[in-house]
Amino acid sequence: MTERIKELLETLKSGTYKTRRYSREIVLTPEEESLSPFMKDAIILKTTLETEEPHLLKGDRIGFNRSNITGYSGFSLCDLEYRWALGNIVPDYEKFLNQGMDSVKEEIKMRLTTCRQDQQEFLEAALLCVDSVLRFADRYCAAAQAAGADALHNCLCRVPRQGASTLL
């Protein structure tokens, strides 16, 4: 185990990174509440990511340490039995790792030009999610550069917009 990994592991074990976390309840406007479950979830993700504050750990090459433990008391996500929570979930992660989110964004835009009416709102919500994640990643990239975290900054100059060149 390298020294960098040992330090990160100690940080995780100590839980000190959690001291910067705070809770925030998301309240949607009446207009937002009237939107489809897809769009409501996209707005919740966008709002959550906009309130996240970049927090960098020493030697970190991944970033994205949560500062905002967000809650939403309304029900959404296609009226399924279980409410999702923000976490480390990426459907079809292989596509994101290989192609990057810019490619996915272009694919969504292309599909929007030829989609059926019943698919449009889902694709618009997906586009909002992708744009929200990219803005969030750009903020982390700028914070890494400002903090002199060159390894993280260099990674974030490429990923998530483009595919990963390594998994190191």
Side-chain angles (χ1 to χ4, degrees), residues 30-51:
E31 180 183 320
E32 292 168 335
E33 286 286 358
S34 70
L35 298 172
S36 75
F38 298 121
M39 192 55 79
K40 282 180 10 183
D41 283 341
I43 291 169
I44 292 166
L45 176 66
K46 175 183 178 279
T47 303
T48 299
L49 294 179
E50 286 173 346
T51 61

Side-chain angles (χ1 to χ4, degrees), residues 95-96 99-109 130:
K95 181 182 212 171
F96 285 91
Q99 298 175 14
M101 292 187 87
D102 281 343
S103 173
V104 172
K105 180 177 177 175
E106 290 309 310
E107 180 183 334
I108 294 169
K109 285 180 173 180
V130 168

Side-chain angles (χ1 to χ4, degrees), residues 60-96:
D60 195 351
R61 293 185 189 163
I62 297 173
F64 309 113
N65 297 293
R66 297 285 311 272
S67 63
N68 180 357
I69 309 304
T70 302
Y72 172 69
S73 58
F75 189 75
S76 183
L77 196 62
C78 306
D79 296 325
L80 295 175
E81 233 176 282
Y82 302 101
R83 176 77 194 130
W84 67 277
L86 290 176
N88 299 326
I89 299 171
V90 179
D92 200 6
Y93 67 91
E94 184 178 5
K95 181 182 212 171
F96 285 91

Side-chain angles (χ1 to χ4, degrees), residues 138-150:
D138 289 344
R139 286 186 16 243
Y140 254 88
C141 184
Q145 183 178 30
D150 296 333

Side-chain angles (χ1 to χ4, degrees), residues 6 23 67 74 89 100 136 156 162:
K6 287 178 185 176
S23 293
S67 63
I89 299 171
F136 175 64
L156 292 173
Q162 302 168 22

